[in-house]
């Protein structure tokens, strides 16, 4: 299964609407390469794609909120000093058992998954690139899976990821068989 391959990543300076959310399709590709049962579920029932988009974003959110501490303070026993930065992973909301049953499980049939994540922030703090990220992931699932339904992470490679204000897949090599048999 190495007749064809694609390498992809999100360049550090890649920008869309002031954000780097376009990494969402790459994160979805990584999950589906590692989970053929979920991939087959979408191939068998493409109507699940909208739910799958929200569920993948809920479980594998990319955006974190960075804040600068403006004065020394203490929060729940933790000392925070002026000029330090903190990073709040927005996707943790979607992993809260009080919000979502079995939050570590990806379930494309989960009812209303869009209500169970704050992966892009919310209200006036919602990332403007969130709409593009959802669209890109939708298009990826709708266009890639019918053409390349069976793919894996290329043997001998390891996805390269990094965390920061945006969790990023720097490198992901996929492989698939070009022989339709």
């Amino acid at each position: 299964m190495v007749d064809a391959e694609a390498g992809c990543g999100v360049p550090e300076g890649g920008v869309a609407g002031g954000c780097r959310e376009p990494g969402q399709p790459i994160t979805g590709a990584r999950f589906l390469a590692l989970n053929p049962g979920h991939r087959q579920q979408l191939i068998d029932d493409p109507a699940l794609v909208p739910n799958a988009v929200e569920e993948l974003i809920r479980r594998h959110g990319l955006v974190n909120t960075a804040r600068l501490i403006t004065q020394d303070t203490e929060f729940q026993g933790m000392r925070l000093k002026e000029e330090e930065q903190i990073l709040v992973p927005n996707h943790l909301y979607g992993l809260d058992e009080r919000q979502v049953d079995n939050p570590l499980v990806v379930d494309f049939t989960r009812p209303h998954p869009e209500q169970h994540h704050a992966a892009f922030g919310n209200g006036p703090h919602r990332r403007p690139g969130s709409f593009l990220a959802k669209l890109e992931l939708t298009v990826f699932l709708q266009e890639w899976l019918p053409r390349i339904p069976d793919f894996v992470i290329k043997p001998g490679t390891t996805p390269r990821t990094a965390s920061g204000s945006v969790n990023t897949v720097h490198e992901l090599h996929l492989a698939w068989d070009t022989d339709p048999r």
Side-chain angles (χ1 to χ4, degrees), residues 92-121:
L92 290 181
Y93 178 85
L95 300 179
D96 185 339
E97 291 176 343
R98 296 169 296 181
Q99 301 294 327
V100 180
D101 290 333
N102 299 314
L104 297 178
V105 172
V106 173
D107 178 359
F108 293 156
T109 64
R110 188 182 307 275
H112 308 291
E114 73 283 355
Q115 295 174 5
H116 301 294
H117 72 75
F120 298 115

Side-chain angles (χ1 to χ4, degrees), residues 22-96:
Q24 200 68 56
I26 297 169
T27 302
R30 180 177 182 264
F31 175 81
L32 292 173
L34 294 169
N35 295 277
H38 283 83
R39 190 172 63 234
Q40 191 62 50
Q41 189 179 15
L42 294 176
I43 292 165
D44 292 344
D45 188 359
L48 288 174
V49 166
N51 252 33
V53 166
E54 297 294 341
E55 183 69 355
L56 288 168
I57 290 169
R58 180 199 64 78
R59 180 59 186 88
H60 302 286
L62 295 177
V63 180
N64 299 308
T65 300
R67 293 291 182 255
L68 183 67
I69 305 301
T70 59
Q71 63 184 20
D72 289 355
T73 189
E74 188 171 312
F75 179 73
Q76 296 184 355
M78 174 70 76
R79 289 186 187 159
L80 303 172
K81 297 186 184 253
E82 182 178 354
E83 298 298 316
E84 287 181 337
Q85 278 197 326
I86 58 171
L87 195 62
V88 180
N90 294 347
H91 75 278
L92 290 181
Y93 178 85
L95 300 179
D96 185 339

Side-chain angles (χ1 to χ4, degrees), residues 1-6 148 150-152 154-155 174-181:
M1 179 176 286
V2 223
D3 289 324
E5 73 171 87
I148 305 173
D150 189 24
F151 58 96
V152 297
K154 182 181 177 186
L174 300 174
W176 61 90
D177 193 346
T178 57
D179 182 8
R181 291 174 219 237

